[in-house]
Amino acid sequence: MQEGLLVDYALYFRVCGLEKDNFQIQTQESESYASGSLEVIWIAELWSHDNCEAVISGDSLILRARPGPQGVPPKERVLHLADLAAPRLGTATREDEPWAFESREFLRQLAVGKEISFTSIHSLPSNDDVPRDLGTAEIGGVDLASELLKNGWAKLKEIKREASEEDNKKKDLENEAKSAGKGIWNPHGQKARAVNHTMPVDSQAFVTEWKGKPIDALVEQVRDGTTLRVRLLMPDGEHQMVNVALAGVRSARVSSKQGEASEPWGEEAKFFTESRLLQRPVKVQILSLPNSTATPFQSSANAAAPPPASIYIGTVIHPAGNVAEYLVAAGLARVVDWHAGMLSSNGAMERLRAAEKVAKERRLCLYANTAVPAPSGKANGAPTSNQSQTFDATVVRVWSGDQVSVVEKDTNTERRLQLSSTRGPKLSDPRQAFYAQEAREFLRKRLIGKTVKVHIDFIRPREGEFEERECATIRYGGQGANVAEQLIEKGLAGIVRHKRDDEDRSPDYDKLMAAEQAAVSDLRGIHSGKEIPAPKQPLNISETNSRATQFLNGFKRLGRIPAVVDYVAAGSRFKIFLPKDNQSLTLVLAGIRAPKTARNASEKSEPYGIEAYEFATRRYMQRDVEFEVESIDKSGGFIGSLYFNKTENVALNLVKEGLATVHSFSAEGLSWARQLFDAEEAAKQTKRNIWSTYDEEASKVAEAVAESASETGPLKSEYLDVIVSDVRTKNGFAFSIQILNTEGIASLEKLMAEFSVHHRSPVTSPLGFVPKGGDLVSAKFSDGAWYRAKIRRASPIKKEAEVTFIDYGNQDTIAFSNIRPLDSKFRSLPGQAHDARLSFVKLAAAESDYHEEAIDRFRSICEGRKLVANVDHREGPLLHLRLIDTANPIAAQNPLACINADLVSEGLASIDRKGCKYLSSYPQVLKKLQTSIAQAKRDRAGMFEFGDVEEDD
């Protein structure tokens, strides 16, 4: 009979009721029990009912007939060889009798796996329906009892009956063996051997010492199709009994109690293993303890030492192969995913998967009622037909340690992808935040801007707060490395434990499991047990103008500074992160202006604003860059240049693409201004994006008209009744006005009356309301009243915002608790405050001793007063005004008399020759100002107290 491969414990449980001194062999029942030809499958002494321990002996056989129809497990039969007594094997509480193992081994090698003819002399009481007989047996015409006596491996019991001729022959055989010193009669005695019947005390140390090393062994018991008890024949001569679960597979459970039913296909799996492996010599490789991969951050570094393991995970190799693969192929065991880590290195997991596929396709046993697998890519959750399964793409953004955005090469479509079967650390969990940032940075360095190969494995449907997400395997580099595998191997992500029949998983799932196993073994990353504090929030040095000013000179001295683009706010506005210093800043590109994008649903993007934003995002988001600083703006943003790949000037690139225009005034101070103007001209000629409707001739005419209006001639006189509503000195001198006697002012008075009534009621902010830059809101001023305002900048950390009151021009910092969303009925009226500056002149500089005096003087004669203003120049929304005090009698006589000239004659202001390019367009006004400054010098007024300082301008 050809040997097979399998083993189980059920045999032990069925016969464990036998008396201590009975020695048995197991078989399957046939039609006649008096005699027959059965297969010897086990030689065992089952002696202790209490601890259910099976012990092998040399005078008892357990017989089994051939399998029934459709592999139905056959019954067993116990045969005790009449008149023989063999040495008893030891247990956990007593040692082996001398030569017990050798006696058992002799009979095992002689009988196991072979057909046997037996004659029952006497039937014994059965245990658990297992028949027991006392009798004789032959194999191939050889009497087993005679062979045992002849070789000295058993003794004759005392015979109380009259000795027969056969009895005398057996006595002669025993005497011959005794005279020859054979077997148990060896005068030198048995060599000392330690037999450990219990599992090793230090389980982990045993695994560490023997992991992956083949050890000769005998299978002693089979509990179920995938759980064995084996005797390890250690190299030093010791015997170590261990329980082994077959790596990579798990069969159905077999009942261990009388009257309890086994799980479906459990008995068949047990018989499959038992008939092939029980008492066969095998090679055992111990691989692991039976604990699945620990969930990160759940294990404690100070945890007490674990108790001895009751079982190991390993492989059992018979000369015919690995029984686990045969079990799975027969549909009698399922693949255990989390064992992949210990099996993938030698291809064992792939073979198990292939065997499982065959069993499923044939609907064998456990898979009898399993639906036929859908074709690849069409299973539940698979991509729809109009989506590419595999495509090349460029990674443009890394969202987290397991999500990225890519742009498909062929369609230029951006897609946000989840790495299949991968779960990154959570940034929101303080214990995982450090690793979450490390995982994100790992992906950024390897993928951002790189061409990758994407395979969409399945689509995870929307569930609760989680949006529908495409799950993909992403490979990069010449070797096609799976970035998820690398991430998991470094301990920067974990693997998703899918349900048993969940086919929506990574095609490299086993490799991912192996990578995680390696990370766990080496205590890497999230598996280290270390709780590293969450990274500190980067210092935002652009939060205020005063803070930014502290860094300006230092940045200028450093020149180009390495950094990372953390976020793209608009085509020419970036949030920059300095990893070395853990600082962030806002960088506005000098010399250009990109179209604005809408910041909320109520706004509308400027033409090509979205295109400029997408271009900058896809090309520069999360890239390593360098930047240079020129100056800062009034909100704390740094104005400067950004360089990608050392040589690519981002501003220049935007202009070349027709996604930004050159801002002539700021560009003139740049060393590469000529390149900007040339790039803009080239974009105009090719009519790229912004310039798609550009008409060169019409543009020249418009420019000529504008230049004539702004440079060569004064504006037409436009006198307005105004009131100076606010004077500001922070970040330079500025003021705001309201234009009186207009419909706007009348509407404002009505609006403010309604506004006051509206805010008398207990109006509360919506749950979760957080003010953002650009929002129109209601804000409470220091006088306790509510006014319309616009958010300039908000700080969720400080819970306060810098606002501008749009009807009066005041600016202040307001706590979130004093800010509410602006009701829609108060939004239609435009803000009534207009930003303004003095025409032709500038007040004493901030570093001057007369600066404060100049501000005070301006406040005293202008703030809160009704004046007449002439608009001399418009700079966007900024009005350049000549202020006239109608209460001054000189103003009525001289049309050139104005507060601007009065401040000059008092030595508190000077002619602004650099800032007022329209100065030459007003020769009469210039002459008046020159007269005023001559008077100030003559009177040594103000800043001219100690001499002529005008030339210092």
Side-chain angles (χ1 to χ4, degrees), residues 533-650:
K536 292 182 179 179
Q537 192 74 12
L539 175 66
N540 181 8
I541 61 179
S542 288
E543 187 172 16
T544 62
N545 178 272
S546 58
R547 176 179 288 181
T549 302
Q550 300 172 23
F551 292 87
L552 179 60
N553 291 333
F555 284 158
K556 284 185 174 181
R557 286 194 301 270
L558 290 172
R560 288 196 183 189
I561 304 168
V564 177
V565 176
D566 191 49
Y567 181 72
V568 177
S572 59
R573 194 175 186 87
F574 302 84
K575 184 178 180 181
I576 305 296
F577 176 60
L578 286 71
K580 184 178 179 181
D581 303 311
N582 197 34
Q583 297 172 344
S584 65
L585 58 89
T586 299
L587 182 72
V588 182
L589 298 183
I592 68 167
R593 182 189 178 279
K596 294 181 180 179
T597 55
R599 289 176 291 184
N600 51 58
S602 63
E603 293 185 2
K604 185 178 180 181
S605 298
E606 294 181 356
Y608 292 96
I610 295 176
E611 288 83 350
Y613 168 77
E614 289 183 349
F615 176 84
T617 299
R618 292 184 177 184
R619 192 165 182 84
Y620 306 116
M621 172 77 87
Q622 295 182 326
R623 304 301 207 279
D624 291 311
V625 294
E626 293 177 326
F627 71 98
E628 281 184 310
V629 170
E630 301 286 339
S631 60
I632 56 175
D633 61 22
K634 61 182 180 180
S635 63
F638 290 84
I639 301 172
S641 310
L642 189 64
Y643 298 92
F644 176 54
N645 286 340
K646 300 291 185 182
T647 57
E648 183 179 322
N649 186 320
V650 175

Side-chain angles (χ1 to χ4, degrees), residues 492-508:
L492 296 176
I495 188 167
V496 176
R497 263 53 177 178
H498 294 284
K499 294 179 181 178
R500 177 189 293 167
D501 298 321
D502 184 5
E503 297 297 332
D504 287 343
R505 60 177 66 189
S506 168
D508 288 350

Side-chain angles (χ1 to χ4, degrees), residues 772-783:
K772 298 188 296 293
D775 288 354
L776 286 176
V777 297
S778 297
K780 183 186 286 189
F781 191 51
S782 56
D783 62 0

Side-chain angles (χ1 to χ4, degrees), residues 1-7 39 64 113 271-278 280-282 317-321 323 326:
M1 238 180 164
Q2 184 179 1
E3 293 191 19
L5 288 178
L6 219 64
V7 185
E39 179 188 3
R64 179 175 59 205
F271 170 65
F272 186 97
T273 301
E274 195 173 71
S275 63
R276 289 160 172 79
L277 291 191
L278 190 56
R280 267 57 166 202
V282 293
I317 306 298
H318 184 277
V323 68
Y326 291 90

Side-chain angles (χ1 to χ4, degrees), residues 99 186 488 747:
W99 305 107
N186 189 326
I488 292 170
S747 300

